[in-house]
């Protein structure tokens, strides 16, 4: 009796071991990060392909020398990020491989233990193999319930041990197969990494080649300087027109709110301030806020939704390369010229659709110095799309996120297709980079 009780205890112990190992899920905690890495890598691949295509299209464009340099900088940045992404993926694969190997080692020890224990059980059964002993043990039960438990006990040992050994052996095979897949994947990623590193080196050579052409660029310095200064002057005029249109929109919105009896002291103040400054040509509005839009309850809800999407808003074009950034800074290629940019400039292919970054209402479609400008209000925020053509909306239209509103127009100065995008909060421009999704 003691011997059979010992065997039953061992069998139950092994059942617990299998139960514990069944809850192990190798790589489970890494599924999300693996998926994210894959998505990031695919996005970078698309960006690299896009900028490479833009470089090819502007290769023979003598007017787009500065744009080519800007796209090339973006291309190098994208490739460096891509290399980093591959390194992270390789590191993760190595971690997964190590964890699998440790799991295989542990399972092998458990499997060896169970085989040894199972062999002992088989040996015990062989020594007591006479059928009469088993039947005698069962029939010697004190009552029917005890007899039933003894019958079940024999079944439990046989079935449990076989299933446990088979399950662990299967798990070991699966882990081994996963390990082989990871090793193969690692080899593939190393190959890709090597190829991308070569591309980075080639891209650096291209930049170095541009640097070596400094003598040729020096001959164009005065010309580029004059062209950039002219562009900056034109930009200031367009900025002044956009600023005036925004102030007029704020004044109109507040006047409308006032008529409905929903104005507040803030709205009244905004109306007064905007009325007196609508004709102002000053573009230094980022440091002060002189007018505030009075929002209806519906607009407050829209405004809250817009703010909640900060950092994840779609770009005004699905594909493109940023060639001029937000802020005041010396031009990267012509340092003698100071850039004053209230938004960002994105170069794209001809015919690229321009889309609304969020739902809202079209408040203006302007023609400023031969350039079409679309303004869309999202509560107290206003998105501005300048240098577009084929406008598909009109003032008062309600638009949805990513709705096509126009196409990118050609920049006559550079002979490339570019869109200038700005984002304003009331009458102050804000950095669009903080609001748009990372690329």
């Amino acid at each position: 009796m003691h011997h059979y009780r010992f065997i039953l205890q061992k069998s139950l112990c092994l059942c617990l071991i299998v139960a514990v190992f069944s809850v192990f899920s190798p790589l489970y905690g890494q599924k999300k990060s693996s998926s994210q890495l894959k998505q990031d890598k695919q996005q970078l691949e698309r960006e690299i392909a896009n900028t490479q295509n833009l470089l090819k299209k502007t290769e023979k464009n003598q007017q787009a020398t500065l744009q080519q340099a800007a796209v090339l900088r973006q291309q190098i940045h994208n490739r460096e990020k891509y290399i980093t992404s591959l390194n992270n993926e390789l590191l993760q694969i190595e971690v997964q491989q190590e964890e699998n190997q440790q799991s295989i080692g542990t399972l092998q020890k458990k499997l060896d233990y169970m085989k040894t224990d199972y062999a002992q059980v088989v040996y015990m059964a062989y020594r007591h193999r006479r059928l009469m002993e088993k039947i005698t043990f069962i029939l010697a039960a004190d009552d029917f319930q005890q007899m039933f438990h003894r019958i079940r006990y024999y079944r439990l040992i046989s079935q449990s041990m076989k299933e446990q050994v088979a399950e662990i052996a299967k798990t070991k095979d699966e882990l081994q197969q996963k390990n082989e897949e990871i090793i193969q994947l690692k080899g593939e990623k190393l190959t890709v990494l090597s190829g991308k590193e070569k591309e980075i080196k080639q891209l650096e050579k291209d930049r170095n080649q541009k640097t070596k052409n400094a003598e040729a660029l020096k001959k164009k310095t005065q010309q580029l300087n004059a062209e950039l200064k002219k562009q900056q002057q034109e930009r200031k005029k367009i900025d002044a027109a956009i600023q005036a249109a925004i102030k007029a929109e704020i004044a109109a919105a507040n006047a409308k709110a006032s008529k409905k009896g929903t104005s507040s002291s803030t709205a009244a103040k905004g109306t007064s301030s905007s009325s007196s400054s609508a004709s102002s040509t000053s573009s230094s509005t980022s440091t002060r806020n002189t007018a505030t839009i009075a929002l209806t309850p519906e607009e407050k809800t829209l405004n809250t939704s817009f703010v909640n999407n900060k950092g994840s808003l779609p770009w005004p074009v699905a594909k493109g390369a940023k060639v001029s950034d937000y802020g005041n800074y010396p031009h990267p290629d012509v340092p003698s010229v100071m850039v004053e940019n209230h938004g960002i400039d994105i170069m794209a292919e001809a015919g690229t659709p321009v889309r609304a970054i969020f739902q809202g209402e079209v408040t203006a479609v302007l023609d400023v110095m031969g350039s079409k400008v679309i303004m869309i209000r999202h509560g107290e925020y206003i998105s501005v799309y300048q240098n577009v053509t084929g406008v598909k909306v009109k003032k008062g239209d309600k638009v949805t996120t990513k709705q096509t509103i126009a196409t990118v127009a050609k920049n006559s100065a550079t002979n490339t297709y570019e869109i200038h995008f700005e984002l304003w909060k009331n009458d102050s421009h804000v950095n669009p980079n903080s609001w748009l999704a990372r690329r």
Side-chain angles (χ1 to χ4, degrees):
M1 178 68 72
H2 176 74
H3 167 70
Y4 291 110
R5 190 175 298 160
F6 170 75
I7 293 176
L8 182 57
Q9 288 174 347
K10 294 281 284 184
S11 179
L12 292 175
C13 245
L14 290 169
C15 287
L16 287 174
I17 290 172
V18 173
V20 170
F21 273 87
S22 68
V23 301
F24 280 120
S25 180
L27 312 180
Y28 174 78
Q30 298 172 359
K31 284 184 179 178
K32 184 177 180 180
S33 57
S34 296
S35 175
Q36 186 61 51
L37 277 175
K38 185 176 181 180
Q39 291 178 12
D40 293 344
K41 188 164 68 70
Q42 290 175 343
Q43 175 64 27
L44 285 169
E45 286 173 346
R46 289 192 291 267
E47 289 295 323
I48 289 171
N50 175 57
T51 47
Q52 185 65 38
N53 189 42
L54 289 174
L55 283 171
K56 288 182 179 180
K57 288 184 178 297
T58 58
E59 191 174 6
K60 297 180 181 180
N61 186 350
Q62 298 298 321
Q63 294 176 269
T65 304
L66 298 178
Q67 276 70 15
Q68 289 176 15
V71 174
L72 187 56
R73 283 192 296 272
Q74 184 65 42
Q75 180 77 318
I76 291 174
H77 176 66
N78 287 339
R79 290 192 186 277
E80 289 174 344
K81 286 173 65 178
Y82 188 71
I83 293 293
T84 300
S85 177
L86 284 175
N87 283 331
N88 290 337
E89 196 166 1
L90 285 169
L91 177 61
Q92 187 179 69
I93 289 172
E94 291 173 355
V95 170
Q96 291 176 353
Q97 183 182 11
E98 181 63 26
E99 289 181 352
N100 277 357
Q101 289 173 343
Q102 291 178 0
S103 297
I104 288 173
T106 302
L107 284 173
Q108 183 62 56
K109 290 180 181 179
K110 296 297 181 182
L111 183 60
D112 292 341
Y113 168 77
M114 291 189 70
K115 284 181 177 179
T116 301
D117 194 71
Y118 186 71
Q120 292 177 356
V121 174
V122 171
Y123 178 71
M124 291 288 187
Y126 178 78
R127 288 187 59 185
H128 303 84
R129 63 187 180 280
R130 287 178 300 174
L131 181 61
M132 187 57 73
E133 290 184 357
K134 179 178 177 182
I135 295 175
T136 301
F137 174 68
I138 294 174
L139 294 177
D142 297 335
D143 51 37
F144 181 78
Q145 185 176 9
Q146 190 180 63
M147 181 184 297
F148 173 77
H149 284 304
R150 289 183 179 184
I151 294 173
R152 188 180 180 188
Y153 150 76
Y154 277 109
R155 290 180 180 175
L156 177 63
I157 290 179
S158 178
Q159 182 180 353
S160 175
M161 294 297 289
K162 289 180 181 178
E163 289 181 354
Q164 290 161 19
V165 172
E167 184 64 28
I168 291 185
K170 179 183 176 182
T171 304
K172 178 194 168 186
D173 291 341
E174 290 176 351
L175 285 173
Q176 186 65 43
Q177 181 181 357
K178 176 64 70 174
N179 229 350
E180 291 172 358
E181 291 175 358
I182 290 176
I183 291 173
Q184 180 181 356
L185 184 60
K186 180 180 178 182
E188 293 174 358
K189 288 297 186 294
L190 284 172
T191 301
V192 174
L193 179 58
S194 176
K196 292 304 177 182
E197 286 175 341
K198 290 179 181 178
E199 290 184 23
I200 286 287
K201 291 179 181 179
Q202 182 60 48
L203 214 53
E204 289 292 347
K205 289 180 181 179
D206 292 341
R207 290 191 67 183
N208 292 336
Q209 185 61 44
K210 285 183 176 291
T211 303
K212 291 178 181 179
N213 294 337
E215 292 300 322
L217 289 175
K218 284 181 180 179
K219 294 178 181 179
K220 290 185 176 181
T221 299
Q222 291 183 347
Q223 176 186 349
L224 292 173
N225 199 324
E227 289 177 358
L228 287 171
K229 286 184 177 179
K230 181 180 178 181
Q231 291 176 22
Q232 285 295 300
Q233 290 175 353
E234 292 178 353
R235 169 60 60 202
K236 287 184 178 180
K237 293 179 181 179
I238 294 174
D239 286 344
I242 292 174
Q243 180 181 349
I246 288 175
K247 288 183 178 295
E249 166 58 24
I250 294 174
N254 289 342
K256 184 177 179 180
S258 179
K259 288 181 180 180
K260 290 184 177 181
T262 59
S263 63
S264 62
S265 58
T266 302
K269 179 180 178 181
T271 303
S272 175
S273 175
S274 58
S275 299
S276 63
S277 58
S279 60
S280 173
T281 59
S282 172
S283 60
S284 301
T285 60
S286 59
T287 58
R288 57 189 176 84
N289 184 19
T290 58
T292 303
I293 301 176
L295 303 178
T296 64
E298 293 79 7
E299 289 172 338
K300 287 181 180 180
T301 301
L302 177 62
N303 189 80
T304 300
S305 180
F306 186 85
V307 172
N308 289 340
N309 281 275
K310 182 177 182 179
S312 60
L313 295 171
W315 282 55
V317 289
K319 295 193 300 182
K322 187 164 55 177
V323 293
S324 183
D325 211 348
Y326 173 87
N328 299 331
Y329 51 89
H331 194 283
D333 301 293
V334 188
S336 58
V337 176
M338 284 295 297
V339 175
E340 184 178 351
N341 197 345
H342 293 170
I344 58 175
D345 296 274
I346 306 171
M347 188 168 78
E349 296 185 39
T352 298
V354 177
R355 55 191 190 176
I357 65 166
F358 202 71
Q359 60 180 312
E361 180 180 345
V362 178
T363 58
V365 178
L366 310 173
D367 191 340
V368 181
M369 298 179 63
S371 174
K372 290 290 184 181
V373 181
I374 301 175
M375 294 168 50
I376 302 177
R377 185 153 76 89
H378 324 274
E380 61 181 350
Y381 291 87
I382 300 174
S383 55
V384 180
Y385 314 77
Q386 188 256 321
N387 197 44
V388 299
T389 187
V391 178
K392 300 180 182 299
V393 293
K394 63 183 182 300
K395 182 177 180 179
D397 284 352
K398 302 286 186 179
V399 297
T400 58
T401 304
K402 292 187 178 182
Q403 178 180 328
T404 299
I405 57 176
T407 55
V408 178
K410 179 181 285 188
N411 184 335
S412 58
T414 61
N415 200 32
T416 57
Y417 290 84
E418 299 175 25
I419 178 176
H420 177 74
F421 174 77
E422 296 182 5
L423 184 61
W424 292 65
K425 180 181 180 181
N426 295 311
D427 67 345
S428 300
H429 52 80
V430 297
N431 188 348
N433 296 309
S434 302
W435 292 80
L436 300 177
R438 289 188 176 184
R439 301 182 69 171

